[in-house]
Amino acid sequence: MKLLKLLLIPIAMAVGTTAQSQELYVFSEPASNMPAKSIGVRLTNEGVFNPKFATRTIPEMMIGFNKNLMIHVQGFFSDMDGGYKAEGASLYGKYRFLSVDDVKSHFRAAAFARISSSSRPTYTEDINLEGDNSGLQGGLIFTQLLHKLALSATLSYSKAFERSSKQLTGMPKPDQMLGYSLSSGYLMLPFVYKNYNQPNLNLYFEVLGKTNPENGRSYLDLAPAIQVVLNSRTRIDLGYRFEVAGNMANRYTKNMYLARVEFNFFNVLN
């Protein structure tokens, strides 16, 4: 009986991941966490085409300590300032503090925090703690799953670290930023769930925005994406975000593509 239980644990985890795969947003995080005692490895490539083609690579490790607590550790490498080089690193933590479960639906609420360091010079008032700026961030996430549709909202506050040596003369100085997003994910395939080996196809549409509370300057991006999940362990993302409104100049994330592959290993931590 004990042996059977041990064999079923990773299968149950994988099935749970598949059933909620439409919550695996591409440009934001859900309030739900990865399975307990699991590890995920991601490799993300993102880039822009104007004013010149430039890319950033983000290797990332995710650890699920239990059903409520997980962390992400990221590194940043890019050719945005000439030769390809290391830019910095980030530590992200998320704690799920509310869970309301029902048949084919659930509601989750979580708090998150991030601390980042970057060697890049600052040239915009926007704060991007995934490669461009050093600083702190904190916020809340609320996610609702309704059968094949998942909806999520995020609110955050970011504060950049003051480093005068990195400030470019005549450029805006990043200080603080309010962030907000609305995300939707829909499970397109399979039509009927039979087992966790079935490929999942998810369609996402996200609205991403920020506002500088000091002067009111802001922007709003739309970000469609598609995702394939294989064997509940391998995830492939492809998305593009583009600005539809805004008056914040020189930001890196404007009109940016994103491609990602992720591998998950269940029940590997004691």
Side-chain angles (χ1 to χ4, degrees):
M1 188 69 180
K2 185 176 180 179
L3 178 60
L4 178 61
K5 183 178 179 181
L6 290 174
L7 290 173
L8 288 176
I9 284 175
I11 295 176
M13 287 182 173
V15 170
T17 302
T18 299
Q20 301 169 20
S21 67
Q22 60 268 44
E23 292 182 50
L24 303 175
Y25 302 109
V26 175
F27 290 93
S28 63
E29 285 287 322
S32 298
N33 286 335
M34 63 192 302
K37 300 181 180 181
S38 62
I39 292 176
V41 179
R42 284 179 179 173
L43 185 63
T44 301
N45 180 264
E46 57 185 32
V48 295
F49 297 95
N50 290 309
K52 64 176 183 178
F53 180 68
T55 67
R56 170 174 289 137
T57 302
I58 307 175
E60 180 175 358
M61 176 176 285
M62 306 172 294
I63 303 174
F65 293 102
N66 53 54
K67 66 178 182 178
N68 295 323
L69 179 64
M70 67 178 294
I71 65 168
H72 298 217
V73 180
Q74 295 175 304
F76 308 114
F77 304 83
S78 88
D79 59 359
M80 296 183 62
D81 301 312
Y84 202 82
K85 62 181 182 180
E87 296 176 315
S90 175
L91 177 64
Y92 172 97
K94 182 173 59 175
Y95 181 77
R96 188 181 72 185
F97 60 84
L98 179 64
S99 299
V100 180
D101 295 308
D102 203 345
V103 179
K104 293 186 178 181
S105 70
H106 64 231
F107 178 78
R108 304 278 189 263
F112 70 91
R114 181 192 296 273
I115 182 169
S116 299
S117 178
S118 174
S119 62
R120 291 208 68 210
T122 55
Y123 59 95
T124 173
E125 64 186 296
D126 186 26
I127 299 175
N128 173 33
L129 296 183
E130 293 189 78
D132 290 326
N133 300 94
S134 300
L136 292 168
Q137 183 186 48
L140 297 171
I141 311 171
F142 306 93
T143 302
Q144 175 72 63
L145 176 68
L146 299 167
H147 192 28
K148 291 188 175 185
L149 175 67
L151 302 172
S152 189
T154 301
L155 299 172
S156 67
Y157 172 80
S158 300
K159 176 70 175 180
F161 295 150
E162 293 186 13
R163 293 187 179 179
S164 56
S165 60
K166 292 170 52 182
Q167 179 64 35
L168 297 182
T169 303
M171 291 294 184
K173 182 178 180 180
D175 183 28
Q176 55 184 327
M177 197 66 60
L178 299 176
Y180 35 89
S181 68
L182 291 173
S183 303
S184 63
Y186 191 79
L187 181 64
M188 305 292 291
L189 296 173
F191 295 118
V192 178
Y193 177 74
K194 296 180 180 179
N195 61 69
Y196 73 92
N197 286 318
Q198 288 177 281
N200 282 203
L201 175 63
N202 300 306
L203 179 64
Y204 294 96
F205 187 80
E206 302 185 60
V207 180
L208 314 168
K210 289 182 184 177
T211 296
N212 186 335
E214 294 183 332
N215 55 30
R217 282 196 285 267
S218 63
Y219 69 82
L220 196 67
D221 287 356
L222 299 184
I226 58 173
Q227 178 185 85
V228 176
V229 179
L230 304 173
N231 296 319
S232 297
R233 297 175 181 271
T234 302
R235 165 182 164 185
I236 302 169
D237 299 339
L238 184 62
Y240 187 79
R241 61 185 293 175
F242 56 94
E243 183 176 280
V244 293
N247 54 2
M248 199 177 295
N250 301 322
R251 63 185 185 90
Y252 166 67
T253 56
K254 181 179 180 179
N255 302 332
M256 182 192 82
Y257 77 83
L258 183 151
R260 175 186 294 130
V261 61
E262 175 183 318
F263 305 96
N264 290 280
F265 307 91
F266 301 119
N267 198 37
V268 295
L269 300 178
N270 294 325

